[in-house]
Amino acid sequence: MDQFIKKKIIEVKKGDQSAFSDVVSFYQDKIYQHCYRMLGNKHEAEDIAQEAFIRAYVNIDSFDESRKFSTWLYRIATNLTIDRMRKRKPDFHLDAEVKGTEGLDMYSQLA
């Protein structure tokens, strides 16, 4: 299967855009599952997986053909996922009870 992917990557580098659709078809479920395991959110995982393929296509010329494409693609997906996790904001609610207290909520902590 590695030979098939290498052949498709060479075709993409030569300008054959349709060859990349075969690459996407082969890896799309694997990359989605990888992102989903890290994020735990279906919609975010779909977004990140799609972005990973877009980044791979745009930067395909920087891919070193002597290495495995899957490793490169997984690294792109992992980096994008980590960036998404860093951008998440903490989830605080003012009506949530303060830990270690009985009946006090976050409203009571406001000046």
Side-chain angles (χ1 to χ4, degrees):
M1 192 50 72
D2 284 339
Q3 292 298 359
F4 171 76
I5 296 299
K6 280 187 179 185
K7 180 182 170 218
K8 291 297 179 181
I9 297 302
I10 290 169
E11 290 174 14
V12 172
K13 284 187 170 187
K14 290 180 181 176
D16 184 4
Q17 296 176 351
S18 64
F20 196 71
S21 68
D22 294 332
V23 174
V24 170
S25 297
F26 183 76
Y27 285 110
Q28 67 186 1
D29 291 334
K30 295 171 183 147
I31 295 297
Y32 166 76
Q33 289 299 324
H34 177 69
C35 295
Y36 182 75
R37 278 192 303 272
M38 291 179 73
L39 291 167
N41 182 300
K42 178 183 173 186
H43 298 294
E44 281 186 316
E46 289 171 352
D47 288 346
I48 296 298
Q50 184 176 16
E51 180 67 24
F53 286 112
I54 291 169
R55 292 262 177 105
Y57 182 77
V58 169
N59 298 305
I60 197 72
D61 290 330
S62 68
F63 172 65
D64 181 3
E65 294 170 28
S66 65
R67 300 179 185 260
K68 282 186 74 172
F69 179 76
S70 61
T71 304
W72 187 67
L73 182 60
Y74 273 92
R75 178 47 49 196
I76 292 170
T78 300
N79 289 345
L80 288 169
T81 303
I82 290 169
D83 288 346
R84 176 67 61 97
M85 290 170 23
R86 285 181 182 148
K87 289 179 184 175
R88 283 184 177 169
K89 294 187 174 154
D91 195 16
F92 297 112
H93 299 284
L94 290 176
D95 57 352
E97 187 175 315
V98 177
K99 291 183 181 178
T101 64
E102 287 205 24
L104 290 179
D105 56 19
M106 293 302 285
Y107 284 115
S108 66
Q109 302 300 313
L110 296 175

